[in-house]
Amino acid sequence: MYQRTDGRKPDELRPIEIIRNFNMYAEGSCLVKFGNTWVVVTATVEEKVPSWLKGAGQGWITAEYSMLPRANMDRNPRESHIGRLSGRTMEIQRLIGRSLRAAFDLQAMGELTIIVDCDVLQADGGTRTASITGGFVAVYDAFSYLVRNGRLSDIPLREFLAAVSVGVIEDTYLLDLTFEEDFDAEVDFNVVMTESGKLVEVQGTAEKQLFTREDLNNIIDLAWRGISRLIKIQKEVLGV
């Protein structure tokens, strides 16, 4: 069996911490920590929707993602300096937006937009799953702000939602990969699920070896166990 360098069991999450109201200005915000991966998430409310949604009577949740230059071992130039977003950045922020839209009722929120900004302070694997898990908390708090201020009568929640990574190394299924584990993984997955166990998104790749249908089932089962724990943490943090 593969031995993890941080001493965790294969089905053990890294230490998880979600610090709410990390930003004093945003309607919702948090600092989310998956071990040494730290992401600041802010949720901003705008009293408008994209032009293609005007008059539709529904709202929108969208996301932007970025990594600070020294979030990694080596400095990466800011994408604003380069003048364009990388394909990786665009793919991740679309994933975050899709995931958070699945958790809330866009019809019930009216013609509002919530913009979720995910800024990675420090990266050690799992930045997208941390962004989604923390993003849910920030958006929930933004909706709580709208309820407190009489803009909405209720939080338009469908289901709690979180995300986690799973990998296979030396025939061992591993939950919540660090960067080192992600690099060494023979099979690598990111899984987004709701509280009832419904799948929102599954991203999986045979990095170094093929995987079977049985492997896929085991990976989803392990992800579900991790996501159940993450949702419990979200609820404890939010006090619901």
Side-chain angles (χ1 to χ4, degrees):
M1 178 182 290
Y2 178 80
Q3 298 297 317
R4 309 184 87 165
T5 57
D6 57 9
R8 282 185 292 148
K9 297 176 182 177
D11 65 348
E12 187 177 351
L13 292 167
R14 288 177 285 182
I16 306 296
E17 186 176 7
I18 302 175
I19 302 170
R20 291 170 65 203
N21 304 315
F22 190 76
N23 181 292
M24 64 183 291
Y25 300 111
E27 286 79 15
S29 68
C30 70
L31 170 63
V32 56
K33 299 181 180 180
F34 276 42
N36 288 322
T37 290
W38 297 7
V39 185
V40 174
V41 186
T42 59
T44 301
V45 176
E46 290 192 346
E47 293 276 348
K48 60 181 181 179
V49 292
S51 58
W52 50 271
L53 272 179
K54 286 183 179 178
Q58 74 163 70
W60 192 244
I61 300 172
T62 188
E64 295 188 12
Y65 169 96
S66 66
M67 191 174 291
L68 294 185
R70 279 314 304 267
N72 290 305
M73 288 290 292
D74 299 315
R75 185 186 187 277
N76 292 316
R78 297 179 192 273
E79 291 183 338
S80 59
H81 178 73
I82 298 172
R84 59 179 175 80
L85 296 180
S86 69
R88 177 182 181 273
T89 294
M90 289 190 288
E91 184 267 324
I92 291 175
Q93 59 190 34
R94 287 169 181 163
L95 169 65
I96 297 167
R98 285 195 303 271
S99 299
L100 296 176
R101 287 193 293 273
F104 297 94
D105 186 345
L106 302 183
Q107 296 287 340
M109 66 184 283
E111 294 201 0
L112 297 168
T113 295
I114 295 182
I115 302 171
V116 182
D117 288 292
C118 304
D119 293 290
V120 180
L121 303 182
Q122 186 171 277
D124 184 29
T127 60
R128 71 188 71 194
T129 55
S131 295
I132 292 166
T133 302
F136 176 89
V137 171
V139 173
Y140 189 100
D141 272 340
F143 280 123
S144 296
Y145 168 87
L146 292 168
V147 171
R148 288 196 307 272
N149 286 273
R151 183 63 177 79
L152 294 175
S153 57
D154 297 293
I155 295 173
L157 176 67
R158 285 177 171 158
E159 287 195 66
F160 270 73
L161 170 147
V164 76
S165 60
V166 177
V168 181
I169 303 178
E170 298 176 8
D171 296 323
T172 303
Y173 302 99
L174 302 173
L175 182 67
D176 190 18
L177 305 179
T178 63
F179 173 79
E180 179 184 11
E181 291 169 341
D182 183 61
F183 183 82
D184 291 337
E186 296 144 15
V187 177
D188 179 19
F189 270 74
N190 294 299
V191 182
V192 188
M193 298 178 78
T194 67
E195 185 177 14
S196 66
K198 295 185 180 70
L199 290 164
V200 178
E201 188 132 358
V202 178
Q203 298 181 333
T205 306
E207 299 281 1
K208 298 172 184 175
Q209 70 176 33
L210 303 181
F211 57 91
T212 66
R213 181 74 65 86
E214 181 182 4
D215 288 327
L216 178 58
N217 290 338
N218 290 333
I219 287 166
I220 297 298
D221 288 344
L222 181 55
W224 168 234
R225 293 202 294 274
I227 285 169
S228 296
R229 295 174 208 156
L230 290 170
I231 289 174
K232 183 178 180 182
I233 292 169
Q234 288 173 329
K235 288 189 169 187
E236 289 172 353
V237 166
L238 289 167
V240 298

